[in-house]
Amino acid sequence: MYTADLSLPGMAHMALLGSEHAHALVRGIDTAVAAAMPGVLRVVTAADLEGKVMPLPCVWIPGGAESHFPPHPYGVPGARPVLAGDRVRHVGDPLVAVVAETPAQARAALAAVRVDYQVLPAVVRADEAVAAGAPQLHEAVPNNLNAYWTCGDREGTDRALAAAPVVVELDLYNQRTINNPMEPRAAVGSFDAVSGEYTLWATTQSPHNHRFLLAALVLGIEFNKLRVIAPTVGGSFGTKGYLYPDMPLVLVLAKELGRPVKWVDTRTGLMNSTVQGRDHRQHGTIAGTRDGRITALRCTSYANLGGYPSTIGPGVATALMGRSISGMYRIEHAFCEVYAAFTNTVPLGAQRGSGRAEATFLVERLVDRFAATIGMDPAEVRRINLVPPDAFPYDNGLGWTYDSGNYEPALDRALELARYGEIEAARVEALARGKLLGVGLGCFVAICGVGPSTRMSKEGMLGGTWESANIRVHPTGEVTVIIGSASTGQSHETTFGQIAAEELGIDPATVQVLHSDTTKAPYGQGTYGSRSYSVGGPAVALAAGKVKDKIRKAAAHMFAVKETEVVYANGVVSVPGDPDKVKTFAEMAMALWYGWDLPREIEPALDETAYFDPPDFNYPFGVHVAVVEVDQDTGQVEVVRYIAVNDAGTVGNPLVVTGQIEGSIVHGLGQALMEAAIYDEQGRLISADLRDYALPRAVDVPFFELDRTVTPSPHNALGLKGAGEIATVPPAAAVANAVCDALKDHGVTHIDMPFTAEKVWRRLNQRDQDPDDPQDPQAPHDPQGHVRAQVQQGAIR
């Protein structure tokens, strides 16, 4: 059951009125007509919420950098008001909530609300937002600059660039995209006047975290008075890990009205209110020798945070991107600086592969340009610069320490599958059909398994990132596994049940997996950052280990032997060599449930909880190869082959991992080929529904050619690494390199995504340059020098 399917007795329905302007002062709101319309129960503005709710908080700030946020009464970084009051900062910024007997009545009343706006100038590009004279969004954020954040060796990198015989620079725009899960967001709130308890059903990736944040920092109520449940969630890709205004609104209004309140978003509403992804304008510089050795890498990036900081948006835009720019390569000198800025667009958040995809796109495009400049095959340049297997654990100089890796076999296998040595013959054959064939590589390393808590605190995370699991063994020998990680479609029931079954040596059919209800599961951090299996999985294994330890201890007492003599294997506890001292898992479960004849040091029952906080992140990797054909007459780009060799450490369930890999590739191809959130100069989202925002379909992608290598992580006993989003990281880079390879004989060295037929046709025929391409001399120039000078002088922090 999805949240939208939930129906409670007496349930009312909420609709939200979003701003029609990207930036404006609100001089007045007239709700009188709306309040008098049939079926309307309540019309609420920001003024009605004073003293009832606080602003939403931001819990991931740019670590190690001075940062500026909207205020919050508790002194934590503020994010956004539940309803905008005197100013709106993006189209869709919620202003008014209407509750009525039916959804249609609520929507009709919204149309009767009148808002008096004083329209202000808007800014939609991050680089322009921090320039002198730009419209200012927040009084507490001078120059719209949330943070100027850096990592790496600035001085050493600048010296290496100055000394290098070959230096290549490139401007790129990793365009803003919109996550479109099958299910838009929804929320249902109820309040029990007798107990004083609230219940929220919502499309959330992090029920436990959202319970804490809503109770402590938004509603100001007792933690034990709020229960959060995530019913079946129809996909997320990062967007449902955030607090949104609808969550506290349905709870507050349910209490005021004395009846449940339900809100369900629309697809257009999602486009204008749910966090969006990517949106980095980058200037990259790579340097090296003519024999292919890369000696330095530098990146300046303008990250567009949107109108408000989302719950974790600033951390996504800084650390996940900046510390990842060196990829698979051993580069002695690397440096990255990020200007994280507020603009009049929808707030930025995580999108599958967030930060790592933007970093990979940068370095992989630069490596290809470097290879072309020195006249060397791009695959060979990559091979020369790979981190060698004996260098692990490897400090990349930017803040990440890669746990394990063996990159060259993945590269070799990908090239073998792609028949890389036969590409020139394939070009000739394609040209005879009027097609320009190109091949591109995308190599990646992706930080995953978000944790450990101490390290994440240094990166600016205001909270822990450990995970939990509880195993309850019933008297029948059946098992319930209760996990803190919530599912948004990753097959938690299968994968976590499999771990418990394998660790305990029992039939998987006897294992039940529960999650996503804060009153039933131990506190857990949720699903994000490819962490569920590689952080939550070891927690299940630890809990299973505790169960086995207790069974051994109890069996030793029953068998009247020392505990060291008892062996647990394949669901059976025994004393080797003594056939009379054997008991099955189910027999031990029943014995402990009865609790007869147990010594005082052994408690009855089998019910164990474990917490796992990894010692460091894990770093899956891989090599993808895209083969494209470009139609010379139309500019249409077709990905005719896609090869992906990934390494996610030990693979628990190959079918589940393959499904994640395939879905991730399609997501990445969507950005490369067609997806783009387009804003006009006034901040209006032009691509506000699926008529104007293209998504990939089955006909747009080829059958994938997949393989894997296995390099276990040393950071958990199971050797697991993240897998859920890793294959989203390299496709854009691989396709971009392939398209540019196809067009190289036509003088095209770079095109920014998406590679639409019109854009490619125009560049192919030199009719004009891409207006979205930073290489275009008519495009607004990034004011890097101006802003950098201000930062160094202390005007901007």
Side-chain angles (χ1 to χ4, degrees):
M1 180 183 72
Y2 297 100
T3 304
D5 297 325
L6 187 64
S7 181
L8 301 177
M11 189 162 65
H13 299 268
M14 184 179 78
L16 296 176
L17 178 67
S19 171
E20 61 187 82
H21 298 287
H23 198 197
L25 298 178
V26 179
R27 296 189 293 197
I29 302 177
D30 184 355
T31 63
V33 174
M37 292 181 68
V40 173
L41 302 171
R42 193 82 165 85
V43 181
V44 176
T45 67
D48 300 306
L49 297 177
E50 291 185 11
K52 299 176 183 177
V53 297
M54 292 175 279
L56 307 185
C58 175
V59 298
W60 193 0
I61 64 177
E66 182 178 338
S67 54
H68 299 274
F69 290 86
H72 189 283
Y74 282 9
V76 299
R80 68 182 307 152
V82 172
L83 290 177
D86 58 358
R87 183 190 291 252
V88 291
R89 294 175 174 87
H90 67 86
V91 171
D93 201 350
L95 280 161
V96 180
V98 172
V99 183
E101 296 287 353
T102 70
Q105 289 172 330
R107 289 193 296 269
L110 283 187
V113 174
R114 294 292 176 262
V115 183
D116 183 10
Y117 296 100
Q118 179 183 332
V119 179
L120 302 173
V123 60
V124 299
R125 287 177 49 147
D127 55 335
E128 295 175 353
V130 297
Q136 297 299 292
L137 274 69
H138 301 276
E139 290 184 8
V141 185
N143 305 103
N144 298 316
L145 190 66
N146 168 251
Y148 171 71
W149 179 94
T150 67
C151 67
D153 176 14
R154 182 200 299 265
E155 293 182 359
T157 300
D158 288 346
R159 286 195 300 269
L161 289 173
V166 180
V167 178
V168 178
E169 298 185 58
L170 187 63
D171 287 319
L172 311 99
Y173 178 42
N174 204 293
Q175 83 274 25
R176 177 170 282 233
T177 54
I178 303 175
N179 277 330
N180 271 278
M182 176 179 68
E183 175 203 29
R185 292 187 297 107
V188 176
S190 72
F191 177 75
D192 186 326
V194 175
S195 66
E197 295 178 353
Y198 297 82
T199 301
L200 173 68
W201 292 264
T203 49
T204 168
Q205 296 173 228
S206 302
H208 297 276
N209 283 340
H210 287 172
R211 177 193 184 192
F212 170 73
L213 295 174
L214 284 167
L217 299 178
V218 181
L219 297 174
I221 62 174
E222 297 174 42
F223 180 71
N224 282 335
K225 294 298 185 182
L226 177 60
R227 176 185 183 185
V228 177
I229 302 169
T232 300
V233 178
S236 174
F237 314 122
T239 60
K240 295 173 183 173
Y242 297 80
L243 290 183
Y244 291 97
D246 52 273
M247 294 173 168
L249 278 171
V250 294
L251 294 171
V252 169
L253 291 169
K255 180 180 180 180
E256 288 192 4
L257 295 171
R259 54 196 291 190
V261 175
K262 180 179 184 178
W263 173 83
V264 179
D265 205 359
T266 64
R267 184 62 55 177
T268 299
L270 176 151
M271 302 289 231
N272 278 293
S273 64
T274 297
V275 295
Q276 299 175 353
R278 310 293 190 243
D279 206 344
H280 278 256
R281 293 185 181 272
Q282 300 170 315
H283 179 79
T285 307
I286 193 170
T289 61
R290 294 203 171 273
D291 62 359
R293 179 66 60 186
I294 299 171
T295 57
L297 176 67
R298 199 185 203 283
C299 171
T300 297
S301 187
Y302 294 87
N304 188 342
L305 298 181
Y308 303 96
S310 63
T311 313
I312 62 168
V316 168
T318 50
L320 286 184
M321 194 287 295
R323 298 196 192 283
S324 302
I325 64 169
S326 61
M328 272 191 176
Y329 311 114
R330 182 178 236 173
I331 302 175
E332 185 175 358
H333 301 288
F335 173 74
C336 182
E337 57 184 354
V338 179
Y339 299 88
F342 295 116
T343 72
N344 296 113
T345 60
V346 173
L348 183 83
Q351 183 176 96
R352 204 171 192 177
S354 54
R356 294 141 294 180
E358 297 93 311
T360 297
F361 187 78
L362 171 88
V363 68
E364 291 299 290
R365 286 294 298 124
L366 284 170
V367 169
D368 256 38
R369 294 299 309 129
F370 176 70
T373 300
I374 64 175
M376 184 177 288
D377 183 88
E380 186 58 27
V381 171
R382 287 170 168 83
R383 187 185 305 279
I384 289 170
N385 290 282
L386 293 177
V387 177
D390 61 1
F392 293 91
Y394 174 72
D395 181 348
N396 77 343
L398 294 161
W400 299 149
T401 300
Y402 300 170
D403 56 345
S404 62
N406 191 6
Y407 299 158
E408 194 164 15
L411 175 63
D412 289 340
R413 181 58 177 151
L415 296 177
E416 177 188 5
L417 289 172
R419 300 188 293 277
Y420 193 73
E422 303 172 17
I423 288 298
E424 293 308 317
R427 289 189 204 275
V428 174
E429 187 277 330
L431 190 60
R433 295 184 283 106
K435 304 293 178 72
L436 302 174
L437 185 140
V439 60
L441 276 70
C443 301
F444 76 95
V445 177
I447 175 176
C448 291
V450 172
S453 300
T454 300
R455 175 55 198 273
M456 283 301 293
S457 72
K458 295 178 181 178
E459 294 296 343
M461 178 67 77
L462 307 180
T465 47
W466 42 264
E467 202 46 78
S468 64
N470 169 259
I471 293 181
R472 297 176 184 173
V473 182
H474 305 295
T476 59
E478 295 166 282
V479 170
T480 296
V481 178
I482 311 173
I483 55 175
S485 175
S487 174
T488 59
Q490 301 100 317
S491 303
H492 279 21
E493 293 80 2
T494 299
T495 55
F496 287 99
Q498 182 177 326
I499 290 176
E502 291 181 354
E503 291 293 316
L504 297 173
I506 59 177
D507 183 353
T510 66
V511 180
Q512 174 193 42
V513 177
L514 301 178
H515 54 80
S516 303
D517 185 336
T518 59
T519 62
K520 295 181 179 178
Y523 197 104
Q525 306 302 325
T527 179
Y528 54 87
S530 289
R531 68 185 302 274
S532 287
Y533 195 59
S534 62
V535 182
V540 173
L542 287 172
K546 290 184 175 182
V547 169
K548 290 189 290 186
D549 288 344
K550 188 170 183 178
I551 288 176
R552 275 192 293 263
K553 186 182 294 290
H557 172 75
M558 295 173 187
F559 296 153
V561 299
K562 294 179 180 179
E563 188 177 340
T564 54
E565 298 179 48
V566 178
V567 173
Y568 185 108
N570 301 316
V572 174
V573 64
S574 65
V575 175
D578 190 338
D580 295 328
K581 293 182 171 59
V582 178
K583 287 189 179 292
T584 66
F585 179 81
E587 289 172 328
M588 290 302 299
M590 182 65 78
L592 281 159
W593 183 74
Y594 278 121
W596 295 347
D597 189 32
L598 290 178
R600 287 187 176 276
E601 65 269 19
I602 300 179
E603 298 175 346
L606 286 169
D607 189 333
E608 300 291 342
T609 298
Y611 298 85
F612 179 67
D613 198 357
D616 207 338
F617 307 106
N618 57 71
Y619 294 85
F621 60 89
V623 178
H624 290 204
V625 182
V627 181
V628 306
E629 289 184 353
V630 178
D631 190 298
Q632 293 189 89
D633 295 328
T634 66
Q636 183 67 45
V637 176
E638 179 183 2
V639 180
V640 294
R641 293 184 66 206
Y642 197 91
I643 298 91
V645 177
N646 300 285
D647 192 313
T650 303
V651 174
N653 189 299
L655 188 62
V656 170
V657 171
T658 296
Q660 293 290 328
I661 294 296
E662 291 177 337
S664 293
I665 294 172
V666 173
H667 200 145
L669 293 179
Q671 182 185 11
L673 298 173
M674 59 194 70
E675 295 189 46
I678 306 297
Y679 288 84
D680 66 15
E681 293 182 355
Q682 288 74 44
R684 289 187 294 263
L685 181 63
I686 304 303
S687 52
D689 58 39
L690 295 184
R691 293 172 298 182
D692 299 305
Y693 189 93
L695 292 173
R697 301 162 297 175
V699 297
D700 298 313
V701 299
F703 285 100
F704 304 133
E705 301 167 58
L706 306 179
D707 203 351
R708 66 171 61 96
T709 60
V710 177
T711 310
S713 173
H715 292 158
N716 62 79
L718 304 179
L720 308 176
K721 296 188 178 186
E725 58 187 337
I726 61 174
T728 308
V729 172
V735 172
N737 286 335
V739 169
C740 291
D741 180 56
L743 303 181
K744 62 184 179 183
D745 292 339
H746 293 260
V748 176
T749 59
H750 180 73
I751 308 178
D752 272 323
M753 300 179 289
F755 305 116
T756 61
E758 179 183 2
K759 179 187 291 186
V760 173
W761 183 88
R762 289 184 179 277
R763 294 298 300 275
L764 185 62
N765 291 277
Q766 298 296 311
R767 298 300 175 95
D768 63 14
Q769 287 190 296
D770 174 15
D772 295 326
D773 188 344
Q775 300 284 9
D776 186 349
Q778 296 181 354
H781 179 63
D782 289 354
Q784 296 165 15
H786 169 73
V787 177
R788 188 177 299 114
Q790 285 186 304
V791 171
Q792 291 171 345
Q793 293 165 11
I796 301 177
R797 297 293 183 191

